[in-house]
Amino acid sequence: MHTLYGWYARTREQADLGPFSTSKEASDALSRHIKAYQGLNKRTPGALKAVHLHDADQCSKTNCGLCVEARIFRHSLAVATP
């Protein structure tokens, strides 16, 4: 995902990867990450897919691309409000 701070690769682990200067760098980092963690994080077969609402104030990740995006968006709304 692209933010004002750069490109992030989202992961299921404690930290997302990034920020990176280009989408290629993020993609390469994600490829390395997938190879390193391949087979370690099993998903539950038949698990339902759902809409994910991200709460940056409650997020437990140490480096989260969605939190970066949410905080930028929240700040831009505060600045733009008359």
Side-chain angles (χ1 to χ4, degrees):
M1 74 179 288
H2 188 251
T3 73
L4 290 176
Y5 295 108
W7 289 88
Y8 282 82
R10 302 265 305 134
T11 71
R12 289 183 278 165
E13 282 67 48
Q14 180 59 31
D16 289 338
L17 308 175
F20 297 98
S21 299
T22 66
S23 62
K24 170 106 172 75
E25 289 176 3
S27 179
D28 291 346
L30 183 57
S31 293
R32 289 188 302 274
H33 177 82
I34 290 169
K35 286 179 186 173
Y37 283 86
Q38 190 169 5
L40 296 179
N41 292 324
K42 303 282 186 200
R43 290 185 184 228
T44 305
L48 296 174
K49 304 239 187 248
V51 173
H52 175 80
L53 299 176
H54 192 75
D55 184 350
D57 295 327
Q58 299 297 317
C59 183
S60 62
K61 283 192 168 189
T62 56
N63 181 38
C64 178
L66 287 177
C67 288
V68 169
E69 190 70 10
R71 288 184 180 114
I72 291 169
F73 181 73
R74 186 181 318 152
H75 176 73
S76 68
L77 286 177
V79 171
T81 304

